[in-house]
Amino acid sequence: MTDLTTPATADRQDGHLKRPAISFEFFPPKTEEMERNLWETIKRLAPLEPKFVSVTYGAGGSTRERTHSTIARILKETALLPAAHLTCVGASRGEIDEIVDRYHEVGVRHIVALRGDPVGGIGTPYSSHPDGYQSSADLVAGIKERHGDIEVSVSAYPEKHPESRDFDADIDTLKAKVDAGATRAITQVFFDNDLYFRYLDRVRARGIGIPIVPGIMPMHNFKQARNFVTRNGTSVPDWLAAKFEGLDDDAETRKLVAATVAAGQVQKLAKHGVDTFHFYTMNRADLVFAISHLLGIRAKSAQKAA
Ligand code: FAD
């Protein structure tokens, strides 16, 4: 079993695992209240010194401006390094290129490049824009051609993407994205670590050496989260559902259980040498902060002076 996120040997310092690297994912807020909430979250999580923070791009490009303004505000008001998500959906190549150029102009040097979901929603056939980027690999190549100094991350699917014929087809797509210039993959959420390790074995066997960073989602609201993730092809094991049984009306206990489950997952991954984690924060700080703390990560202000 391959047990590392990166091809290098797990870094150890004096017999202790090195501080893991973390990153956080946010979505662009829709209302002023959501905006205030997001900024409280960012302020709480920033002292954990994530490697980068990413901001999603709504289905069909629906949040184009909001993603941009959130990214621009992060650049202006914090020391965090933002990564802008971008999809190929619903836009011509020229329009996407303009978005990329605008990001580059304001100082963004990291894009998470995706194909995106079909315009008709998950489960309907995907058709690319006639004048657009035809695939995620095509988009990666387009970004790298325009701005070689933009780092490009892409998606990866430990349970394979629902549209993929089989794992080989799925990993062929990942290989094409890497060949086009992607240097990091972030996985779709998963709850069974064995699925991740098996996927990593397949990816490494295919000669793909880039970090495959596990995407971790603490489930604040189990029922809602289950509906959301299963639509994206993530399986929810029975043992996990059992942990939330009877807690539908007990948000407080659900929160403790969610933190315990996600902390257990990341600690087990770390024990097997995984040293990089990407958290789907759902714009909430509490659980992600606690889980990071359990991984040994301390807020900058809480660290002892050297
Ligand atoms: P790809 O990596 O290009 O393809 C995924 C798999 O689907 C491939 O392995 C391939 O085998 C198969 N496939 C692709 N195209 C076809 C086809 N035409 N026919 C048959 N099989 C095909 N969505 C958003 O809208 N906004 C976001 O900000 C966003 N962020 C994401 C971040 C991460 C880390 C992840 C994992 C997903 C994110 N998504 C986002 C969801 C993503 O857009 C969808 O999963 C989409 O359906 C696939 O895009 P992709 O780039 O992952 O696909």
Side-chain angles (χ1 to χ4, degrees), residues 25 56-60 85 87 112-118 126 136 155-157 161 163-165 169-171 173 177 186-188 280:
E25 183 169 307
T56 59
Y57 189 75
H85 291 220
T87 75
V112 182
L114 303 139
R115 185 201 69 176
D117 284 323
Y126 180 84
S136 50
S155 62
Y157 295 88
H161 185 274
E163 284 173 51
S164 294
R165 198 178 55 246
D170 197 83
I171 292 169
T173 303
K177 295 190 285 192
I186 301 168
T187 76
Q188 181 62 281
Y280 294 105

PDB file of all heavy atoms in Angstrom, residues 25 56-60 85 87 112-118 126 136 155-157 161 163-165 169-171 173 177 186-188 280, ligand 1:
ATOM      1  N   GLU A  25     -11.025  25.511   1.955  1.00  0.00           N
ATOM      2  CA  GLU A  25     -11.880  25.895   0.820  1.00  0.00           C
ATOM      3  C   GLU A  25     -13.109  26.654   1.324  1.00  0.00           C
ATOM      4  O   GLU A  25     -13.744  26.242   2.288  1.00  0.00           O
ATOM      5  CB  GLU A  25     -12.318  24.633   0.067  1.00  0.00           C
ATOM      6  CG  GLU A  25     -13.146  24.954  -1.164  1.00  0.00           C
ATOM      7  CD  GLU A  25     -13.347  23.730  -2.040  1.00  0.00           C
ATOM      8  OE1 GLU A  25     -12.349  23.079  -2.399  1.00  0.00           O
ATOM      9  OE2 GLU A  25     -14.513  23.422  -2.335  1.00  0.00           O
ATOM     10  N   THR A  56     -14.508  28.699  -4.299  1.00  0.00           N
ATOM     11  CA  THR A  56     -15.155  27.947  -5.376  1.00  0.00           C
ATOM     12  C   THR A  56     -15.818  28.882  -6.396  1.00  0.00           C
ATOM     13  O   THR A  56     -16.015  30.080  -6.154  1.00  0.00           O
ATOM     14  CB  THR A  56     -16.209  26.961  -4.830  1.00  0.00           C
ATOM     15  OG1 THR A  56     -17.192  27.718  -4.111  1.00  0.00           O
ATOM     16  CG2 THR A  56     -15.581  25.923  -3.924  1.00  0.00           C
ATOM     17  N   TYR A  57     -16.202  28.269  -7.495  1.00  0.00           N
ATOM     18  CA  TYR A  57     -16.795  28.959  -8.643  1.00  0.00           C
ATOM     19  C   TYR A  57     -18.143  28.279  -8.851  1.00  0.00           C
ATOM     20  O   TYR A  57     -18.182  27.058  -9.068  1.00  0.00           O
ATOM     21  CB  TYR A  57     -15.857  28.708  -9.820  1.00  0.00           C
ATOM     22  CG  TYR A  57     -16.102  29.465 -11.088  1.00  0.00           C
ATOM     23  CD1 TYR A  57     -15.760  30.809 -11.194  1.00  0.00           C
ATOM     24  CD2 TYR A  57     -16.611  28.813 -12.203  1.00  0.00           C
ATOM     25  CE1 TYR A  57     -15.924  31.481 -12.393  1.00  0.00           C
ATOM     26  CE2 TYR A  57     -16.776  29.499 -13.405  1.00  0.00           C
ATOM     27  CZ  TYR A  57     -16.427  30.826 -13.491  1.00  0.00           C
ATOM     28  OH  TYR A  57     -16.581  31.491 -14.667  1.00  0.00           O
ATOM     29  N   GLY A  58     -19.225  29.031  -8.752  1.00  0.00           N
ATOM     30  CA  GLY A  58     -20.556  28.411  -8.790  1.00  0.00           C
ATOM     31  C   GLY A  58     -20.822  27.664 -10.091  1.00  0.00           C
ATOM     32  O   GLY A  58     -20.234  27.991 -11.127  1.00  0.00           O
ATOM     33  N   ALA A  59     -21.694  26.669 -10.011  1.00  0.00           N
ATOM     34  CA  ALA A  59     -22.035  25.872 -11.188  1.00  0.00           C
ATOM     35  C   ALA A  59     -22.398  26.801 -12.339  1.00  0.00           C
ATOM     36  O   ALA A  59     -23.129  27.785 -12.162  1.00  0.00           O
ATOM     37  CB  ALA A  59     -23.191  24.947 -10.851  1.00  0.00           C
ATOM     38  N   GLY A  60     -21.863  26.497 -13.519  1.00  0.00           N
ATOM     39  CA  GLY A  60     -22.176  27.287 -14.711  1.00  0.00           C
ATOM     40  C   GLY A  60     -21.605  28.701 -14.663  1.00  0.00           C
ATOM     41  O   GLY A  60     -22.009  29.576 -15.415  1.00  0.00           O
ATOM     42  N   HIS A  85     -11.032  28.948  -7.926  1.00  0.00           N
ATOM     43  CA  HIS A  85     -11.570  27.839  -8.730  1.00  0.00           C
ATOM     44  C   HIS A  85     -12.120  28.427 -10.036  1.00  0.00           C
ATOM     45  O   HIS A  85     -12.654  29.535 -10.051  1.00  0.00           O
ATOM     46  CB  HIS A  85     -12.713  27.126  -7.998  1.00  0.00           C
ATOM     47  CG  HIS A  85     -12.279  26.360  -6.794  1.00  0.00           C
ATOM     48  ND1 HIS A  85     -12.795  25.127  -6.475  1.00  0.00           N
ATOM     49  CD2 HIS A  85     -11.376  26.630  -5.829  1.00  0.00           C
ATOM     50  CE1 HIS A  85     -12.229  24.681  -5.366  1.00  0.00           C
ATOM     51  NE2 HIS A  85     -11.376  25.582  -4.952  1.00  0.00           N
ATOM     52  N   THR A  87     -14.113  26.964 -13.842  1.00  0.00           N
ATOM     53  CA  THR A  87     -14.574  25.830 -14.662  1.00  0.00           C
ATOM     54  C   THR A  87     -14.696  26.263 -16.125  1.00  0.00           C
ATOM     55  O   THR A  87     -14.678  27.454 -16.443  1.00  0.00           O
ATOM     56  CB  THR A  87     -15.949  25.295 -14.195  1.00  0.00           C
ATOM     57  OG1 THR A  87     -16.972  26.199 -14.614  1.00  0.00           O
ATOM     58  CG2 THR A  87     -16.014  25.101 -12.692  1.00  0.00           C
ATOM     59  N   VAL A 112      -7.553  26.632  -9.324  1.00  0.00           N
ATOM     60  CA  VAL A 112      -8.025  25.239  -9.288  1.00  0.00           C
ATOM     61  C   VAL A 112      -8.884  25.071 -10.543  1.00  0.00           C
ATOM     62  O   VAL A 112      -9.973  25.633 -10.643  1.00  0.00           O
ATOM     63  CB  VAL A 112      -8.836  24.950  -8.001  1.00  0.00           C
ATOM     64  CG1 VAL A 112      -9.277  23.489  -7.975  1.00  0.00           C
ATOM     65  CG2 VAL A 112      -8.005  25.273  -6.755  1.00  0.00           C
ATOM     66  N   ALA A 113      -8.343  24.347 -11.530  1.00  0.00           N
ATOM     67  CA  ALA A 113      -8.975  24.266 -12.852  1.00  0.00           C
ATOM     68  C   ALA A 113      -9.842  23.018 -12.976  1.00  0.00           C
ATOM     69  O   ALA A 113      -9.371  21.900 -12.741  1.00  0.00           O
ATOM     70  CB  ALA A 113      -7.888  24.248 -13.925  1.00  0.00           C
ATOM     71  N   LEU A 114     -11.091  23.237 -13.339  1.00  0.00           N
ATOM     72  CA  LEU A 114     -12.066  22.135 -13.390  1.00  0.00           C
ATOM     73  C   LEU A 114     -12.851  22.155 -14.689  1.00  0.00           C
ATOM     74  O   LEU A 114     -13.004  23.221 -15.297  1.00  0.00           O
ATOM     75  CB  LEU A 114     -13.055  22.302 -12.222  1.00  0.00           C
ATOM     76  CG  LEU A 114     -12.373  22.360 -10.854  1.00  0.00           C
ATOM     77  CD1 LEU A 114     -13.017  23.402  -9.996  1.00  0.00           C
ATOM     78  CD2 LEU A 114     -12.375  20.996 -10.213  1.00  0.00           C
ATOM     79  N   ARG A 115     -13.375  20.998 -15.060  1.00  0.00           N
ATOM     80  CA  ARG A 115     -14.297  20.975 -16.188  1.00  0.00           C
ATOM     81  C   ARG A 115     -15.610  21.624 -15.765  1.00  0.00           C
ATOM     82  O   ARG A 115     -16.161  22.467 -16.458  1.00  0.00           O
ATOM     83  CB  ARG A 115     -14.574  19.521 -16.628  1.00  0.00           C
ATOM     84  CG  ARG A 115     -15.436  19.433 -17.869  1.00  0.00           C
ATOM     85  CD  ARG A 115     -16.113  18.079 -18.003  1.00  0.00           C
ATOM     86  NE  ARG A 115     -17.144  17.872 -16.989  1.00  0.00           N
ATOM     87  CZ  ARG A 115     -17.936  16.806 -16.931  1.00  0.00           C
ATOM     88  NH1 ARG A 115     -17.792  15.839 -17.819  1.00  0.00           N
ATOM     89  NH2 ARG A 115     -18.852  16.700 -15.986  1.00  0.00           N
ATOM     90  N   GLY A 116     -16.121  21.219 -14.588  1.00  0.00           N
ATOM     91  CA  GLY A 116     -17.412  21.703 -14.112  1.00  0.00           C
ATOM     92  C   GLY A 116     -18.515  20.703 -14.403  1.00  0.00           C
ATOM     93  O   GLY A 116     -18.333  19.767 -15.195  1.00  0.00           O
ATOM     94  N   ASP A 117     -19.642  20.910 -13.734  1.00  0.00           N
ATOM     95  CA  ASP A 117     -20.793  20.016 -13.918  1.00  0.00           C
ATOM     96  C   ASP A 117     -21.590  20.405 -15.164  1.00  0.00           C
ATOM     97  O   ASP A 117     -21.554  21.559 -15.583  1.00  0.00           O
ATOM     98  CB  ASP A 117     -21.698  20.084 -12.687  1.00  0.00           C
ATOM     99  CG  ASP A 117     -21.109  19.298 -11.516  1.00  0.00           C
ATOM    100  OD1 ASP A 117     -20.518  18.232 -11.768  1.00  0.00           O
ATOM    101  OD2 ASP A 117     -21.237  19.763 -10.378  1.00  0.00           O
ATOM    102  N   PRO A 118     -22.339  19.446 -15.731  1.00  0.00           N
ATOM    103  CA  PRO A 118     -23.179  19.780 -16.889  1.00  0.00           C
ATOM    104  C   PRO A 118     -24.161  20.911 -16.557  1.00  0.00           C
ATOM    105  O   PRO A 118     -24.603  21.024 -15.405  1.00  0.00           O
ATOM    106  CB  PRO A 118     -23.949  18.475 -17.151  1.00  0.00           C
ATOM    107  CG  PRO A 118     -23.216  17.410 -16.419  1.00  0.00           C
ATOM    108  CD  PRO A 118     -22.471  18.056 -15.302  1.00  0.00           C
ATOM    109  N   TYR A 126     -22.933  15.943 -20.314  1.00  0.00           N
ATOM    110  CA  TYR A 126     -22.099  17.148 -20.370  1.00  0.00           C
ATOM    111  C   TYR A 126     -21.829  17.511 -21.820  1.00  0.00           C
ATOM    112  O   TYR A 126     -21.476  16.654 -22.616  1.00  0.00           O
ATOM    113  CB  TYR A 126     -20.757  16.909 -19.660  1.00  0.00           C
ATOM    114  CG  TYR A 126     -19.864  18.128 -19.690  1.00  0.00           C
ATOM    115  CD1 TYR A 126     -20.013  19.129 -18.735  1.00  0.00           C
ATOM    116  CD2 TYR A 126     -18.892  18.289 -20.675  1.00  0.00           C
ATOM    117  CE1 TYR A 126     -19.214  20.268 -18.763  1.00  0.00           C
ATOM    118  CE2 TYR A 126     -18.085  19.434 -20.705  1.00  0.00           C
ATOM    119  CZ  TYR A 126     -18.260  20.415 -19.750  1.00  0.00           C
ATOM    120  OH  TYR A 126     -17.478  21.543 -19.777  1.00  0.00           O
ATOM    121  N   SER A 136     -11.063  19.661 -18.817  1.00  0.00           N
ATOM    122  CA  SER A 136     -10.251  20.250 -17.740  1.00  0.00           C
ATOM    123  C   SER A 136      -8.778  20.328 -18.164  1.00  0.00           C
ATOM    124  O   SER A 136      -8.103  21.322 -17.887  1.00  0.00           O
ATOM    125  CB  SER A 136     -10.411  19.443 -16.452  1.00  0.00           C
ATOM    126  OG  SER A 136     -10.208  18.073 -16.713  1.00  0.00           O
ATOM    127  N   SER A 155      -8.814  18.433  -9.760  1.00  0.00           N
ATOM    128  CA  SER A 155      -9.585  17.501  -8.913  1.00  0.00           C
ATOM    129  C   SER A 155      -9.076  16.066  -9.083  1.00  0.00           C
ATOM    130  O   SER A 155      -8.441  15.739 -10.089  1.00  0.00           O
ATOM    131  CB  SER A 155     -11.051  17.552  -9.342  1.00  0.00           C
ATOM    132  OG  SER A 155     -11.124  17.115 -10.695  1.00  0.00           O
ATOM    133  N   ALA A 156      -9.414  15.237  -8.094  1.00  0.00           N
ATOM    134  CA  ALA A 156      -9.139  13.797  -8.192  1.00  0.00           C
ATOM    135  C   ALA A 156     -10.264  13.066  -7.457  1.00  0.00           C
ATOM    136  O   ALA A 156     -10.847  13.621  -6.518  1.00  0.00           O
ATOM    137  CB  ALA A 156      -7.796  13.470  -7.573  1.00  0.00           C
ATOM    138  N   TYR A 157     -10.553  11.858  -7.884  1.00  0.00           N
ATOM    139  CA  TYR A 157     -11.743  11.168  -7.383  1.00  0.00           C
ATOM    140  C   TYR A 157     -11.418   9.762  -6.860  1.00  0.00           C
ATOM    141  O   TYR A 157     -11.362   8.810  -7.642  1.00  0.00           O
ATOM    142  CB  TYR A 157     -12.806  11.091  -8.499  1.00  0.00           C
ATOM    143  CG  TYR A 157     -13.304  12.461  -8.888  1.00  0.00           C
ATOM    144  CD1 TYR A 157     -12.657  13.216  -9.863  1.00  0.00           C
ATOM    145  CD2 TYR A 157     -14.383  13.035  -8.232  1.00  0.00           C
ATOM    146  CE1 TYR A 157     -13.081  14.499 -10.187  1.00  0.00           C
ATOM    147  CE2 TYR A 157     -14.819  14.315  -8.540  1.00  0.00           C
ATOM    148  CZ  TYR A 157     -14.168  15.043  -9.516  1.00  0.00           C
ATOM    149  OH  TYR A 157     -14.596  16.314  -9.806  1.00  0.00           O
ATOM    150  N   HIS A 161     -14.918   9.514 -10.738  1.00  0.00           N
ATOM    151  CA  HIS A 161     -15.990  10.481 -11.011  1.00  0.00           C
ATOM    152  C   HIS A 161     -17.209   9.704 -11.508  1.00  0.00           C
ATOM    153  O   HIS A 161     -17.053   8.721 -12.245  1.00  0.00           O
ATOM    154  CB  HIS A 161     -15.499  11.474 -12.070  1.00  0.00           C
ATOM    155  CG  HIS A 161     -16.450  12.577 -12.341  1.00  0.00           C
ATOM    156  ND1 HIS A 161     -17.485  12.459 -13.243  1.00  0.00           N
ATOM    157  CD2 HIS A 161     -16.543  13.827 -11.827  1.00  0.00           C
ATOM    158  CE1 HIS A 161     -18.163  13.604 -13.272  1.00  0.00           C
ATOM    159  NE2 HIS A 161     -17.607  14.447 -12.422  1.00  0.00           N
ATOM    160  N   GLU A 163     -19.166  10.112 -13.838  1.00  0.00           N
ATOM    161  CA  GLU A 163     -19.249   9.974 -15.298  1.00  0.00           C
ATOM    162  C   GLU A 163     -18.158   9.073 -15.881  1.00  0.00           C
ATOM    163  O   GLU A 163     -18.226   8.711 -17.058  1.00  0.00           O
ATOM    164  CB  GLU A 163     -19.114  11.348 -15.971  1.00  0.00           C
ATOM    165  CG  GLU A 163     -20.362  12.194 -15.887  1.00  0.00           C
ATOM    166  CD  GLU A 163     -20.088  13.600 -16.421  1.00  0.00           C
ATOM    167  OE1 GLU A 163     -19.554  13.736 -17.530  1.00  0.00           O
ATOM    168  OE2 GLU A 163     -20.407  14.561 -15.699  1.00  0.00           O
ATOM    169  N   SER A 164     -17.153   8.743 -15.089  1.00  0.00           N
ATOM    170  CA  SER A 164     -16.045   7.937 -15.626  1.00  0.00           C
ATOM    171  C   SER A 164     -16.492   6.505 -15.883  1.00  0.00           C
ATOM    172  O   SER A 164     -17.146   5.900 -15.037  1.00  0.00           O
ATOM    173  CB  SER A 164     -14.886   7.893 -14.638  1.00  0.00           C
ATOM    174  OG  SER A 164     -14.347   9.151 -14.492  1.00  0.00           O
ATOM    175  N   ARG A 165     -16.063   5.997 -17.020  1.00  0.00           N
ATOM    176  CA  ARG A 165     -16.398   4.619 -17.406  1.00  0.00           C
ATOM    177  C   ARG A 165     -15.839   3.646 -16.364  1.00  0.00           C
ATOM    178  O   ARG A 165     -16.511   2.757 -15.907  1.00  0.00           O
ATOM    179  CB  ARG A 165     -15.778   4.370 -18.787  1.00  0.00           C
ATOM    180  CG  ARG A 165     -16.318   3.209 -19.556  1.00  0.00           C
ATOM    181  CD  ARG A 165     -15.649   3.090 -20.925  1.00  0.00           C
ATOM    182  NE  ARG A 165     -14.192   3.007 -20.839  1.00  0.00           N
ATOM    183  CZ  ARG A 165     -13.350   3.943 -21.301  1.00  0.00           C
ATOM    184  NH1 ARG A 165     -13.823   5.017 -21.891  1.00  0.00           N
ATOM    185  NH2 ARG A 165     -12.057   3.795 -21.191  1.00  0.00           N
ATOM    186  N   ALA A 169     -10.149   5.035 -17.037  1.00  0.00           N
ATOM    187  CA  ALA A 169     -10.551   6.253 -17.753  1.00  0.00           C
ATOM    188  C   ALA A 169     -10.391   7.461 -16.838  1.00  0.00           C
ATOM    189  O   ALA A 169      -9.938   8.537 -17.259  1.00  0.00           O
ATOM    190  CB  ALA A 169     -11.998   6.136 -18.230  1.00  0.00           C
ATOM    191  N   ASP A 170     -10.755   7.274 -15.584  1.00  0.00           N
ATOM    192  CA  ASP A 170     -10.670   8.363 -14.619  1.00  0.00           C
ATOM    193  C   ASP A 170      -9.219   8.821 -14.452  1.00  0.00           C
ATOM    194  O   ASP A 170      -8.909  10.024 -14.465  1.00  0.00           O
ATOM    195  CB  ASP A 170     -11.224   7.879 -13.273  1.00  0.00           C
ATOM    196  CG  ASP A 170     -11.559   9.035 -12.372  1.00  0.00           C
ATOM    197  OD1 ASP A 170     -12.657   9.592 -12.515  1.00  0.00           O
ATOM    198  OD2 ASP A 170     -10.707   9.396 -11.544  1.00  0.00           O
ATOM    199  N   ILE A 171      -8.339   7.847 -14.311  1.00  0.00           N
ATOM    200  CA  ILE A 171      -6.929   8.192 -14.067  1.00  0.00           C
ATOM    201  C   ILE A 171      -6.255   8.691 -15.350  1.00  0.00           C
ATOM    202  O   ILE A 171      -5.348   9.518 -15.302  1.00  0.00           O
ATOM    203  CB  ILE A 171      -6.215   7.028 -13.355  1.00  0.00           C
ATOM    204  CG1 ILE A 171      -6.812   6.942 -11.939  1.00  0.00           C
ATOM    205  CG2 ILE A 171      -4.706   7.220 -13.286  1.00  0.00           C
ATOM    206  CD1 ILE A 171      -6.473   5.752 -11.134  1.00  0.00           C
ATOM    207  N   THR A 173      -7.696  10.741 -17.308  1.00  0.00           N
ATOM    208  CA  THR A 173      -8.022  12.182 -17.274  1.00  0.00           C
ATOM    209  C   THR A 173      -7.074  12.912 -16.337  1.00  0.00           C
ATOM    210  O   THR A 173      -6.576  13.995 -16.657  1.00  0.00           O
ATOM    211  CB  THR A 173      -9.481  12.406 -16.823  1.00  0.00           C
ATOM    212  OG1 THR A 173     -10.330  11.691 -17.703  1.00  0.00           O
ATOM    213  CG2 THR A 173      -9.860  13.873 -16.836  1.00  0.00           C
ATOM    214  N   LYS A 177      -4.343  15.922 -17.227  1.00  0.00           N
ATOM    215  CA  LYS A 177      -4.270  17.212 -16.529  1.00  0.00           C
ATOM    216  C   LYS A 177      -2.846  17.473 -16.035  1.00  0.00           C
ATOM    217  O   LYS A 177      -2.355  18.594 -16.088  1.00  0.00           O
ATOM    218  CB  LYS A 177      -5.274  17.232 -15.361  1.00  0.00           C
ATOM    219  CG  LYS A 177      -6.733  17.144 -15.829  1.00  0.00           C
ATOM    220  CD  LYS A 177      -7.746  17.397 -14.729  1.00  0.00           C
ATOM    221  CE  LYS A 177      -7.902  16.248 -13.777  1.00  0.00           C
ATOM    222  NZ  LYS A 177      -9.092  16.410 -12.902  1.00  0.00           N
ATOM    223  N   ILE A 186      -6.548  17.760  -5.691  1.00  0.00           N
ATOM    224  CA  ILE A 186      -7.290  17.766  -4.427  1.00  0.00           C
ATOM    225  C   ILE A 186      -8.442  16.786  -4.614  1.00  0.00           C
ATOM    226  O   ILE A 186      -9.147  16.847  -5.631  1.00  0.00           O
ATOM    227  CB  ILE A 186      -7.839  19.175  -4.119  1.00  0.00           C
ATOM    228  CG1 ILE A 186      -6.693  20.189  -4.041  1.00  0.00           C
ATOM    229  CG2 ILE A 186      -8.658  19.171  -2.829  1.00  0.00           C
ATOM    230  CD1 ILE A 186      -7.144  21.643  -4.036  1.00  0.00           C
ATOM    231  N   THR A 187      -8.620  15.896  -3.648  1.00  0.00           N
ATOM    232  CA  THR A 187      -9.638  14.871  -3.876  1.00  0.00           C
ATOM    233  C   THR A 187     -11.042  15.355  -3.525  1.00  0.00           C
ATOM    234  O   THR A 187     -11.228  16.232  -2.677  1.00  0.00           O
ATOM    235  CB  THR A 187      -9.392  13.582  -3.056  1.00  0.00           C
ATOM    236  OG1 THR A 187      -9.751  13.819  -1.692  1.00  0.00           O
ATOM    237  CG2 THR A 187      -7.970  13.089  -3.184  1.00  0.00           C
ATOM    238  N   GLN A 188     -11.964  14.723  -4.176  1.00  0.00           N
ATOM    239  CA  GLN A 188     -13.369  14.791  -3.757  1.00  0.00           C
ATOM    240  C   GLN A 188     -13.417  14.236  -2.336  1.00  0.00           C
ATOM    241  O   GLN A 188     -12.568  13.421  -1.951  1.00  0.00           O
ATOM    242  CB  GLN A 188     -14.192  13.898  -4.718  1.00  0.00           C
ATOM    243  CG  GLN A 188     -15.673  13.846  -4.464  1.00  0.00           C
ATOM    244  CD  GLN A 188     -16.300  15.212  -4.631  1.00  0.00           C
ATOM    245  OE1 GLN A 188     -16.211  16.039  -3.727  1.00  0.00           O
ATOM    246  NE2 GLN A 188     -16.938  15.452  -5.754  1.00  0.00           N
ATOM    247  N   TYR A 280     -12.766  21.174   3.369  1.00  0.00           N
ATOM    248  CA  TYR A 280     -13.986  21.814   2.859  1.00  0.00           C
ATOM    249  C   TYR A 280     -14.650  22.449   4.071  1.00  0.00           C
ATOM    250  O   TYR A 280     -15.290  21.764   4.857  1.00  0.00           O
ATOM    251  CB  TYR A 280     -14.904  20.757   2.232  1.00  0.00           C
ATOM    252  CG  TYR A 280     -14.324  20.129   0.987  1.00  0.00           C
ATOM    253  CD1 TYR A 280     -13.799  18.839   0.994  1.00  0.00           C
ATOM    254  CD2 TYR A 280     -14.310  20.836  -0.210  1.00  0.00           C
ATOM    255  CE1 TYR A 280     -13.271  18.271  -0.159  1.00  0.00           C
ATOM    256  CE2 TYR A 280     -13.782  20.279  -1.364  1.00  0.00           C
ATOM    257  CZ  TYR A 280     -13.270  19.006  -1.336  1.00  0.00           C
ATOM    258  OH  TYR A 280     -12.743  18.450  -2.475  1.00  0.00           O
TER     259      TYR A 280
HETATM  260  P1  FAD B   1     -12.446  16.037 -14.908  1.00  0.00           P
HETATM  261  O1  FAD B   1     -11.329  15.791 -13.977  1.00  0.00           O
HETATM  262  O2  FAD B   1     -12.150  16.643 -16.190  1.00  0.00           O
HETATM  263  O3  FAD B   1     -13.212  14.698 -15.179  1.00  0.00           O
HETATM  264  C1  FAD B   1     -13.583  13.857 -14.107  1.00  0.00           C
HETATM  265  C2  FAD B   1     -13.828  12.474 -14.653  1.00  0.00           C
HETATM  266  O4  FAD B   1     -15.018  12.438 -15.433  1.00  0.00           O
HETATM  267  C3  FAD B   1     -12.722  12.047 -15.550  1.00  0.00           C
HETATM  268  O5  FAD B   1     -11.900  11.177 -14.854  1.00  0.00           O
HETATM  269  C4  FAD B   1     -13.346  11.449 -16.775  1.00  0.00           C
HETATM  270  O6  FAD B   1     -13.119  10.058 -16.799  1.00  0.00           O
HETATM  271  C5  FAD B   1     -14.803  11.754 -16.639  1.00  0.00           C
HETATM  272  N1  FAD B   1     -15.259  12.617 -17.706  1.00  0.00           N
HETATM  273  C6  FAD B   1     -15.017  13.931 -17.849  1.00  0.00           C
HETATM  274  N2  FAD B   1     -15.641  14.418 -18.931  1.00  0.00           N
HETATM  275  C7  FAD B   1     -16.269  13.373 -19.466  1.00  0.00           C
HETATM  276  C8  FAD B   1     -17.096  13.222 -20.593  1.00  0.00           C
HETATM  277  N3  FAD B   1     -17.383  14.280 -21.373  1.00  0.00           N
HETATM  278  N4  FAD B   1     -17.589  11.984 -20.851  1.00  0.00           N
HETATM  279  C9  FAD B   1     -17.293  10.924 -20.056  1.00  0.00           C
HETATM  280  N5  FAD B   1     -16.542  11.025 -18.960  1.00  0.00           N
HETATM  281  C10 FAD B   1     -16.036  12.209 -18.679  1.00  0.00           C
HETATM  282  N6  FAD B   1     -17.463  22.421  -9.498  1.00  0.00           N
HETATM  283  C11 FAD B   1     -17.791  23.730  -9.696  1.00  0.00           C
HETATM  284  O7  FAD B   1     -18.750  24.010 -10.456  1.00  0.00           O
HETATM  285  N7  FAD B   1     -17.119  24.739  -9.085  1.00  0.00           N
HETATM  286  C12 FAD B   1     -16.057  24.520  -8.267  1.00  0.00           C
HETATM  287  O8  FAD B   1     -15.484  25.460  -7.716  1.00  0.00           O
HETATM  288  C13 FAD B   1     -15.657  23.154  -8.039  1.00  0.00           C
HETATM  289  N8  FAD B   1     -14.599  22.851  -7.254  1.00  0.00           N
HETATM  290  C14 FAD B   1     -14.216  21.536  -7.099  1.00  0.00           C
HETATM  291  C15 FAD B   1     -13.080  21.257  -6.333  1.00  0.00           C
HETATM  292  C16 FAD B   1     -12.660  19.944  -6.154  1.00  0.00           C
HETATM  293  C17 FAD B   1     -11.417  19.675  -5.329  1.00  0.00           C
HETATM  294  C18 FAD B   1     -13.403  18.869  -6.721  1.00  0.00           C
HETATM  295  C19 FAD B   1     -12.986  17.450  -6.470  1.00  0.00           C
HETATM  296  C20 FAD B   1     -14.534  19.147  -7.476  1.00  0.00           C
HETATM  297  C21 FAD B   1     -14.953  20.472  -7.690  1.00  0.00           C
HETATM  298  N9  FAD B   1     -16.064  20.787  -8.488  1.00  0.00           N
HETATM  299  C22 FAD B   1     -16.415  22.110  -8.677  1.00  0.00           C
HETATM  300  C23 FAD B   1     -16.884  19.723  -9.063  1.00  0.00           C
HETATM  301  C24 FAD B   1     -16.485  19.413 -10.525  1.00  0.00           C
HETATM  302  O9  FAD B   1     -16.698  20.549 -11.327  1.00  0.00           O
HETATM  303  C25 FAD B   1     -17.361  18.256 -11.006  1.00  0.00           C
HETATM  304  O10 FAD B   1     -17.076  17.083 -10.305  1.00  0.00           O
HETATM  305  C26 FAD B   1     -17.366  18.046 -12.517  1.00  0.00           C
HETATM  306  O11 FAD B   1     -18.407  17.138 -12.848  1.00  0.00           O
HETATM  307  C27 FAD B   1     -16.086  17.476 -13.070  1.00  0.00           C
HETATM  308  O12 FAD B   1     -15.106  18.421 -13.202  1.00  0.00           O
HETATM  309  P2  FAD B   1     -13.583  17.941 -13.080  1.00  0.00           P
HETATM  310  O13 FAD B   1     -12.675  19.022 -13.480  1.00  0.00           O
HETATM  311  O14 FAD B   1     -13.387  17.349 -11.751  1.00  0.00           O
HETATM  312  O15 FAD B   1     -13.605  16.832 -14.191  1.00  0.00           O
END
